[in-house]
Structure formats: structure tokens, C-alpha cells
Amino acid sequence: MGLADVQDILEFWFGPTDHPDYGQSRDFWFGKDAAFDLALTTRFLTVYQQAARHELMAWENNPLSSLALTIVLDQFPRNLFRNTPEAFATDPLALRVARHAIAQGFDAQVLPVQRWFFYLPFEHSESLTDQEMSLQLWERLQGDPNSKNAIHYAYRHWEVIARFGRFPHRNQILGRASTPDELGFLEEPGSHF
């Protein structure tokens, strides 16, 4: 896996750098689309498997390759393995890569919309400490109008972890029993991320 693979991942996720919408949010990032999931699986399952086996850890040492690795470990499995435990299997590794990237200042070296993907592993964590770090990181983007909705969702994730200590919408997928309070919450609109 080399530079071409990193560029392929980043172009797939963010679009071509010469496109007028480059640097903007893309609809497929947080949607549910079986055709998109299949396209991603066809194109990137092997890369994901290599990353999950720690074979791409050399990518940690550069801002853009670190960004690509974080996306592969945090975002791709949510599409590759939707509604299965494997969707969250590499979250700890994604968080490790994101921590390293932030410690190196890589997040400050990419576009605001790209920074989101260094911060999302914290937002996806069921640890309140990670959620609090998520909010601190997202605060760095307060001045970016395109990040307003993303910051709003970071606070919503934090609220759920502060209340339940986990994401109730993952319970069924992960074989966890839900409490009555969680079941009530899951009936509310917007309770599933």
C-alpha cells in the first residue's frame, strides 16, 4: 500500500482536489445507502483488512496518510459491516491513530472538513473521557460555518454517553441488553446515529 492508495482513499472520500465542492461535506458520509456500501466494499475491503491487521501503521507518520488510515479504520467499517459488531471492531485502533495524529498537530495541517475525521473516533467512543476530548477538539472548529452541524452532533453524542455510558442504539447489534430507560430513549426521534 503506497501513496497511490492514500490518494485513492482521500479522493474517494473528499472528491478530487480540483472539484468546486472540494472541502465541503458530502452527503454519503453519514447516510445509509446499500449501493454506496457495496461500492465501498468492492473497492476498499482489502485495504480495510490490511489496516485492521496493523499492516498500514506506517501511514500514521504523515498528515494525509494518517487521515486516510483514520477514515479506513473509523468510517469504512460502518459501511462495510453495517448493523454488525464488525462495524465497531476497529474503533479502538482508529482512536489510537487519531490520538497520534492530533499529538503531531496533523489535524491543523488539513482542511476543516478533513479535521472532522480525526475527531470522529473520539465522538464514536463510549468513554466519557473520550467524549469530553471530542468536544474540546470540535471547539477548534467553532469559527468554521461548515462545521456547525458536525459540532452539534458531537454534543449530542456526548449527551448520550453522559446519560447512559454507552450508545443504546448499538445494544442490539452488540448483543447487549437495553435498560428500560434506554428502550424509552430509543423510541425518541434522532436517538439512532
Side-chain angles (χ1 to χ4, degrees):
M1 293 289 113
L3 186 57
D5 300 297
V6 169
Q7 289 174 339
D8 190 34
I9 291 161
L10 294 176
E11 188 166 300
F12 176 83
W13 202 249
F14 297 106
T17 57
D18 60 353
H19 193 275
D21 290 336
Y22 183 72
Q24 302 299 311
S25 177
R26 301 187 75 195
D27 291 339
F28 65 82
W29 286 346
F30 308 113
K32 294 178 182 176
D33 181 329
F36 176 78
D37 290 353
L38 179 60
L40 190 144
T41 300
T42 301
R43 194 160 168 186
F44 294 111
L45 178 60
T46 301
V47 172
Y48 168 78
Q49 291 168 334
Q50 291 172 318
R53 291 190 303 260
H54 300 242
E55 294 172 9
L56 304 179
M57 296 310 288
W59 288 12
E60 279 189 303
N61 300 314
N62 169 283
L64 291 177
S65 60
S66 183
L67 176 62
L69 183 58
T70 305
I71 291 167
V72 167
L73 292 167
D74 183 67
Q75 294 295 305
F76 282 10
R78 285 164 165 74
N79 297 95
L80 295 169
F81 311 112
R82 190 177 300 283
N83 299 319
T84 71
E86 290 79 16
F88 315 109
T90 52
D91 281 9
L93 185 54
L95 188 58
R96 181 184 131 194
V97 173
R99 278 188 207 288
H100 176 77
I102 290 161
Q104 302 304 309
F106 291 165
D107 59 319
Q109 298 177 45
V110 298
L111 297 173
V113 75
Q114 293 174 324
R115 291 170 79 168
W116 295 8
F117 297 95
F118 283 132
Y119 302 163
L120 281 166
F122 294 89
E123 185 177 326
H124 290 153
S125 173
E126 291 188 316
S127 157
L128 186 58
T129 301
D130 291 336
Q131 288 292 324
E132 289 168 353
M133 181 64 175
S134 166
L135 297 183
Q136 291 175 28
L137 293 167
W138 284 104
E139 286 296 317
R140 297 176 180 183
L141 291 171
Q142 280 292 346
D144 177 43
N146 294 325
S147 296
K148 185 177 180 178
N149 198 41
I151 293 167
H152 167 76
Y153 273 98
Y155 275 91
R156 288 191 53 210
H157 281 74
W158 171 83
E159 288 169 355
V160 172
I161 295 302
R163 180 174 171 187
F164 299 108
R166 61 187 185 174
F167 292 116
H169 70 276
R170 293 184 187 175
N171 289 349
Q172 184 175 4
I173 295 168
L174 297 175
R176 304 186 301 208
S178 294
T179 66
D181 193 24
E182 288 174 330
L183 291 171
F185 171 74
L186 290 171
E187 296 296 320
E188 298 174 14
S191 61
H192 297 69
F193 295 111

